[in-house]
Amino acid sequence: MVSISKMQKAVDFLVQRELVFQRIIDQHGLPVIPSRPQGFATLVLLILEQQVSIDSAKATYLKIQDCVEDISPKHLILLTDEQYRALGVSRQKTSYIKGLAQKILDQTFSVELLAEMTADQARNSLIQIKGIGHWTIDVYLMFALQAPDIIPLGDIAVVNTFKELFDIHTKELMCLRAQEWQPYRSMATYLLWHHYLRSRGRQISYTY
């Protein structure tokens, strides 16, 4: 969990660099910083969230949770493809979840060790796993590992908010603009998400 003092330091830095962030805070208040537990279960949840709404992924995750003793590699590897399909998991995501579970069971990947790595090291470890791309890694780094300097330009809400608030329309230029927000790009992302949701009258719970 991000401490209040660290959060305020990041906010103070960003509003001095970017007036847009001050306007977001004036209009919507400060965002709640999302937090999820480290580990296999959160990676499974993020796989389920790929390309679908958070509410849809949550419903599927809870169905899986009801079907097994716990969300662990040893239990999810035993579910058949037919069981996954009945729970609403696509064939592709089933292969991703079972592949991740198998790597952990084979001890060729350790999710626990990610917490001991730098953000770049964790990214390099996770990207080796089929079905885990940069969006999934960015969100895991931000929500589970509380990495302070992530800008997930694979996230449609971040991209759309960039276009809306900064009139920037390519990811290359977005990346360049976001360099000005280092080392607090994660807080900048939370502010962009906050504006995206509040301006559309939406609210999301990231905890299940």
Side-chain angles (χ1 to χ4, degrees):
M1 184 69 69
V2 177
S3 70
I4 293 175
S5 61
K6 285 184 178 180
M7 179 178 177
Q8 191 59 55
K9 183 178 180 180
V11 169
D12 290 345
F13 176 91
L14 290 169
V15 298
Q16 289 175 6
R17 288 287 195 282
E18 198 73 73
L19 290 176
V20 167
F21 292 132
Q22 185 63 64
R23 292 203 294 270
I24 291 173
I25 294 167
D26 290 343
Q27 186 174 1
H28 304 297
L30 289 170
V32 174
I33 305 304
S35 177
R36 285 178 176 171
Q38 298 174 22
F40 173 74
T42 291
L43 285 173
V44 169
L45 176 56
L46 290 174
I47 289 171
L48 294 173
E49 286 181 356
Q50 294 170 4
Q51 308 298 321
V52 301
S53 71
I54 286 178
D55 287 341
S56 174
K58 176 180 179 179
T60 303
Y61 181 86
L62 293 176
K63 287 178 184 177
I64 297 173
Q65 196 172 55
D66 289 341
C67 189
V68 294
E69 186 176 329
D70 59 63
I71 304 288
S72 65
K74 68 179 181 181
H75 288 111
L76 293 200
I77 198 74
L78 293 176
L79 292 179
T80 67
D81 290 0
E82 290 73 22
Q83 287 175 303
Y84 275 108
R85 185 164 58 250
L87 293 168
V89 184
S90 70
R91 182 170 60 181
Q92 188 175 54
K93 289 183 180 180
T94 294
S95 72
Y96 295 163
I97 291 168
K98 294 178 84 169
L100 171 62
Q102 191 64 62
K103 280 186 171 291
I104 292 173
L105 292 171
D106 290 344
Q107 298 184 345
T108 57
F109 170 74
S110 171
V111 68
E112 289 80 14
L113 287 179
L114 296 175
E116 301 175 18
M117 299 177 184
T118 66
D120 285 343
Q121 289 170 336
R123 184 181 302 278
N124 290 336
S125 179
L126 284 164
I127 202 67
Q128 307 301 319
I129 301 170
K130 186 176 181 181
I132 295 184
H134 288 293
W135 177 86
T136 303
I137 295 168
D138 286 341
V139 178
Y140 188 83
L141 287 171
M142 293 173 68
F143 288 18
L145 299 181
Q146 300 297 311
D149 196 32
I150 306 295
I151 183 79
L153 293 179
D155 186 271
I156 190 66
V158 170
V159 169
N160 285 343
T161 305
F162 245 111
K163 292 176 181 178
E164 177 187 345
L165 297 181
F166 299 100
D167 195 27
I168 296 174
H169 295 270
T170 70
K171 289 186 180 180
E172 291 77 14
L173 291 176
M174 292 176 191
C175 186
L176 282 173
R177 183 63 166 264
Q179 287 179 8
E180 300 174 16
W181 310 334
Q182 293 176 296
Y184 300 114
R185 287 179 292 181
S186 295
M187 179 58 70
T189 300
Y190 296 136
L191 286 164
L192 296 177
W193 273 332
H194 190 49
H195 172 82
Y196 180 87
L197 293 169
R198 288 298 181 90
S199 64
R200 290 159 176 79
R202 294 176 55 195
Q203 190 167 353
I204 289 177
S205 172
Y206 293 100
T207 57
Y208 294 178

